[in-house]
Structures are given as C-alpha cells and as structure tokens.
Amino acid sequence: MKVLRVLNNNVVLARDDQGEEVILTGRGIGFSSRPGKPVDPTLITRVFVPADGRDPDHLAEAITLIGEEVLSAVVTALAETGIEEGGRSALPTLAIAVADHVAGALKRTARGIAVGYPLQAEAQTLYATEYAQARHLLVAINKHLDSQLDDSEATALTLHLVNAGFATGDLSFTYTMTGVIQQMLAVVQERYGFELSQESTARFITHVRYLFVRVQQHRQLKGHESTIGKGIRLHYPEATRTAQQLGTIVELRLGEQLSEDEVSYLALHVARMTMDTHVSV
C-alpha cells in the first residue's frame, strides 16, 4: 500500500493493492510518511474501508478527532461482540460513529453532564435485537476503557446499530423512522381495536424497516402490480385500506409516495399481524 495523504502521526489515507482508498491507523504510522511512499505494514493496526460512496478524506479526518484509546476500545468491542470482525473494517461509518459518540459521552461524564435518552422505551421495544447487541457492546467497550460509560448509553448505541443499515451517516433518518413506526402501529391498533401481539408486531417492524431502506435508497418495489398486488388487495380489503393510510403517513413524514406494490405488501403484513394477534387473544 502507498500513502495518499498523512492526517497525523497515527492516521494515513492510502491506496491498497486492489486500487481502493483505505484509511490506516497505527501508532506512528504517519510519522515521516509522505504521499507516494509505501506503508510499513508492521505499523498498521486497523484498516478502514470506506463503503456506500463515503468520502475517504471525510472519514479519515473524523478518525483523527477520536482518541486512540476510544477508537481501539470500540473496534475491539465490535469484534468481541460479533457485530463486526476485527482488522479490516467493512463498516467504518459504524465504528467511527460509535467511537465519536463514546468520546463525546466520556467528555460529558468528565464534566459532570448527564444526558437523558427519551427513546429508551422505543429502542427496547422497536429494536429489541439491536438493543440486546448494544447492551453487550456497552459492556465490552467499558472493559477496554479507564473511564466507564453509563448504562443509559445502550439506548444511543442501539440507534447507531439501527442506523448502520441505512446509507445515511447521521441518526436523523433513524429518529424519523422510529417516530413513523410508532405512528403506524398506533393507527393499526386504533383501527382494529385490540392490543397487537409482540411476536406479530416484531415481524411487521422488520418489514417496515426494510421498506424504509428501499424508500431511503429510492428503490421501491415495482413491476408486479398486475398480479401479486391485485391479489393481495382483493383478499385483504380492510388491510389494504389500513395500508393506504400508513402509506400516507410515510409520504407526509419521508416525502416520498409509496408505490402500489409497496402498499400491497404493507397490506399483506398488516393482515398477518392483525390475524395472528386476533387468533392469540
């Protein structure tokens, strides 16, 4: 690998043997380095591979603002919990976002500033899998830090794990998505007049999250309207009316109208959720 840019003594931007731009960290890796010079492989501690069109320069600069202790603790913890393999990071935005959050949380703790997370209940309910991962991740991070993060930080870590599934680099879309999911579930519950079961709700949330990924990436389902979509609407008219209402919520909150196919598949999941719940009560 050859150096493209030296960010500081511990971070360099380089080009690997496959021609990819990668971010390399390691103690002293940038010392006496210069553009075009081969990188000493013995100095490389971690390799971050920018993905999803991320700007390598921007990510590299973000890394320089995070202390080595925090970055090392986060990357090691992500590997120990199985969220990400160590060494060559395929999810640099996750590692960097979590490390940046941890660094900020530690600074706030040192200054005696307590921050409450109002989305704790939502994180536990809507993102149960990520919340469990976040709890383990928090323990693992604390194991490698001198100062300790508060248990409440599991909520923030949950949102970062959820956000890793989207192309956006900040949490704004995840915050919006969380609010939309709550609103959709409230509408379904109000229309059908009974409490939704936890299991059926979890399956519905999974579908909706993939829907939001497609909406965010402008890759909605289209093209099967003449067959599957019409069949769903014919067999589940009430669920279809509910799905159309949910589609309006998505359009108002996210600014994009759902395709007929997306509405149809949403209706199918509404029908499944309500039928499963009705059978179990």
Side-chain angles (χ1 to χ4, degrees):
M1 288 187 277
K2 291 186 178 182
V3 175
L4 294 175
R5 181 183 172 198
V6 177
L7 280 300
N8 62 25
N9 282 345
N10 303 314
V11 183
V12 301
L13 181 66
R15 191 179 302 281
D16 65 14
D17 296 336
Q18 287 74 47
E20 287 186 292
E21 290 189 11
V22 295
I23 304 162
L24 309 178
T25 67
R27 194 170 300 279
I29 194 172
F31 184 73
S32 75
S33 291
R34 62 179 183 275
K37 182 179 179 179
V39 180
D40 183 350
T42 64
L43 297 178
I44 301 174
T45 302
R46 283 172 293 276
V47 180
F48 293 96
V49 185
D52 297 326
R54 304 291 179 179
D55 180 13
D57 282 283
H58 177 74
L59 290 177
E61 289 173 356
I63 290 176
T64 63
L65 300 177
I66 302 169
E68 176 62 25
E69 179 198 8
V70 171
L71 183 62
S72 176
V74 169
V75 172
T76 302
L78 286 170
E80 289 179 347
T81 54
I83 296 173
E84 184 182 57
E85 296 181 1
R88 192 177 177 92
S89 176
L91 294 171
T93 49
L94 173 61
I96 295 169
V98 171
D100 181 64
H101 174 83
V102 169
L106 291 174
K107 289 178 182 178
R108 290 192 295 272
T109 299
R111 296 173 182 171
I113 302 174
V115 176
Y117 294 105
L119 291 178
Q120 180 176 354
E122 289 81 356
Q124 289 178 274
T125 304
L126 302 181
Y127 313 125
T129 299
E130 285 85 356
Y131 187 78
Q133 287 181 316
R135 295 284 298 173
H136 292 303
L137 180 61
L138 180 61
V139 171
I141 291 174
N142 277 337
K143 186 173 66 175
H144 298 287
L145 292 175
D146 292 331
S147 300
Q148 300 294 283
L149 296 170
D150 187 78
D151 287 346
S152 63
E153 294 298 334
T155 299
L157 295 180
T158 298
L159 297 178
H160 280 293
L161 293 178
V162 172
N163 195 58
F166 298 95
T168 180
D170 58 60
L171 291 176
S172 59
F173 191 81
T174 298
Y175 287 135
T176 300
M177 180 184 71
T178 301
V180 174
I181 290 176
Q182 288 180 293
Q183 192 174 355
M184 293 172 85
L185 290 173
V187 166
V188 174
Q189 196 159 290
E190 181 179 350
R191 285 185 67 98
Y192 287 86
F194 51 75
E195 292 287 332
L196 302 171
S197 72
Q198 185 173 353
E199 182 179 353
S200 61
T201 300
R203 288 199 298 270
F204 177 77
I205 292 173
T206 298
H207 169 74
V208 170
R209 287 176 60 180
Y210 282 116
L211 165 62
F212 288 154
V213 170
R214 293 191 294 273
V215 169
Q216 201 272 338
Q217 297 178 350
H218 306 292
R219 298 173 58 184
Q220 291 191 47
L221 298 176
K222 296 179 181 178
H224 303 287
E225 174 56 25
S226 61
T227 54
I228 300 176
K230 288 184 178 179
I232 292 173
R233 291 201 302 277
L234 177 64
H235 286 88
Y236 305 111
E238 178 60 26
T240 296
R241 285 190 287 272
T242 303
Q244 289 169 340
Q245 185 177 354
L246 301 184
T248 300
I249 293 172
V250 172
E251 182 177 359
L252 290 174
R253 297 293 299 276
L254 302 184
E256 185 166 337
Q257 183 178 6
L258 293 186
S259 69
E260 289 294 334
D261 278 345
E262 290 289 7
V263 172
S264 295
Y265 281 108
L266 190 55
L268 179 61
H269 284 275
V270 168
R272 287 176 175 173
M273 177 171 57
T274 56
M275 285 190 296
D276 288 347
T277 299
H278 186 68
V279 169
S280 62
V281 293

